[in-house]
Amino acid sequence: TSRERNYQLGGTGGGGGGARAVAKPAAKETILIPTIEKIELSEGEISSVEIDKEERVVIDVYGNTYEIAFVVTDEGVVLKAFNGEYLIPRDETLPVAFGNREVFIGIERFEEDKANIVMGLDEGLIRQQVEKGIEKEADEKRKGVFYFILIVISLVILILIVVSVILHLSKKRVTRK
């Protein structure tokens, strides 16, 4: 219908509303390969997926199943759905329409070739998890810098002690002669 088409194209007039990715449901009964994880998304809940380079999952949104893949790249994490590929922003949530429901996806933790993806139907909950993940990464970086500074200071103090002991011993030798 034209109403569904307007939703798929980003809204029916009014303000804002950019284009949204729209995934169509797979058949009600989906044969799953055992290695593919199935995640049921429910209102008010958060689901997460650990990704090691690439991970395929099947999500269930109110009885409709969709197969998607996440791939860790140099630029970040890419969501692959049948209707396209989308780079998930590190500090934001990505809204993706699956049928007539919007699923919010975000990156909670991102490392060189690993990531933890969070998704759910409540944008606020997903945004909270993303922000917590960013804070945690910043804390880990601060701890790393703190420990580095602590090691450097310890080495400088150790060098000063060794130099002062050497100077003290050489002074004693000079005074004995």
Side-chain angles (χ1 to χ4, degrees), residues 93-159:
T93 59
L94 175 69
V96 181
F98 287 95
N100 63 352
R101 294 296 307 202
E102 205 165 43
V103 174
F104 298 93
I105 302 170
I107 302 172
E108 183 178 28
R109 182 181 47 79
F110 183 79
E111 295 175 10
E112 192 172 311
D113 58 351
K114 294 181 181 182
N116 190 50
I117 302 297
V118 289
M119 61 185 134
L121 303 174
D122 185 336
E123 182 178 17
L125 289 175
I126 300 305
R127 188 175 308 280
Q128 274 183 325
Q129 286 300 112
V130 169
E131 289 170 358
K132 283 180 188 176
I134 291 170
E135 277 182 33
K136 191 172 183 179
E137 283 180 6
D139 286 345
E140 288 172 4
K141 284 181 184 177
R142 280 192 290 270
K143 283 180 185 176
V145 169
F146 173 75
Y147 288 128
F148 176 76
I149 291 171
L150 189 62
I151 289 170
V152 168
I153 290 173
S154 298
L155 286 174
V156 167
I157 290 172
L158 183 63
I159 290 170

Side-chain angles (χ1 to χ4, degrees), residues 1 27 36 46 54 77 83 89-90 92 94 113 149 170 173:
T1 67
I36 297 179
I46 297 173
E54 183 170 355
V77 179
N83 59 350
R90 174 60 190 106
E92 298 176 24
L94 175 69
D113 58 351
I149 291 171
S170 67
R173 283 186 184 167

